[in-house]
Amino acid sequence: MSSEQTPVTSPDDTGARPCRLTYAAALAALEGLALVVGGVWLLVLGLAGEPDDRQQAVTGGVTLIVLALLPLLAARGLFARKGWSRGPAVITQIMALPVAYNMLMSDGAAIPAGIVLAVVAVTALVLLINAETTRALGIRGPGNAGDAAK
C-alpha cells in the first residue's frame, strides 16, 4: 500500500474564478432580478392598479418574489464558488425552459421574451455543466466519488 493519499477535490480558491462560472452566476442573478421586478410589478398593479382580480395579482407578485430567491441564492453561491450552488442553478434553468416554451406559443410581446428566456436558460445550462465550472466548484463526477476514500 502506498503512503500517498489521493487529495480530496476541492475548489481552487487561490486561482481566478473561471469566466464560465462568472457568466453562469451572472445569468442566474439576472433571472432572479427579473423575477423580483416582475413580482413587484404585479404587486403594484394588484394594490394600486385595477387588475381583473386583485387577489390573484397580489398572490402572483408575492409568488414571483419568493421564487426569485432560488436563482439569487444560486448566483451568490456560484460567485463564492460553493459546490452546492450548481444544483439550484440547474433547477432554475430547467424550470425556465417550459416557461419559455409557453411564452413562445403565445401571442404578441411574450414571443421575444420567450426567445430571450430560452437563450439565457440554455446558455446557463451549458455553462453550468461545463467541466471547467465543475472543477472550479470542486464537484467530483460519479466515477470519481471513491477516489477520496483511497
Side-chain angles (χ1 to χ4, degrees):
M1 239 178 136
S2 171
S3 63
E4 293 181 27
Q5 291 199 2
T6 305
V8 176
T9 305
S10 64
D12 183 16
D13 293 332
T14 59
R17 181 185 309 112
C19 290
R20 291 181 174 123
L21 181 58
T22 303
Y23 297 152
L27 289 174
L30 179 68
E31 288 171 331
L33 290 175
L35 284 169
V36 168
V37 168
V40 168
W41 180 74
L42 277 175
L43 256 171
V44 169
L45 180 67
L47 295 174
E50 295 186 24
D52 294 337
D53 185 357
R54 184 174 310 272
Q55 183 179 2
Q56 186 176 7
V58 171
T59 303
V62 170
T63 301
L64 285 179
I65 292 170
V66 171
L67 282 175
L69 292 175
L70 184 65
L72 290 174
L73 288 173
R76 183 171 185 222
L78 290 171
F79 275 124
R81 299 172 93 173
K82 303 290 183 186
W84 61 263
S85 61
R86 189 173 81 157
V90 169
I91 289 169
T92 299
Q93 307 317 316
I94 291 171
M95 289 184 343
L97 291 173
V99 174
Y101 177 79
N102 283 332
M103 292 171 89
L104 289 170
M105 295 298 122
S106 67
D107 296 344
I111 293 174
I115 293 169
V116 169
L117 181 59
V119 167
V120 167
V122 170
T123 302
L125 276 172
V126 168
L127 292 171
L128 287 166
I129 62 172
N130 185 277
E132 185 179 342
T133 301
T134 303
R135 270 192 306 278
L137 293 173
I139 299 171
R140 294 186 307 267
N144 298 328
D147 289 345
K150 289 182 182 178

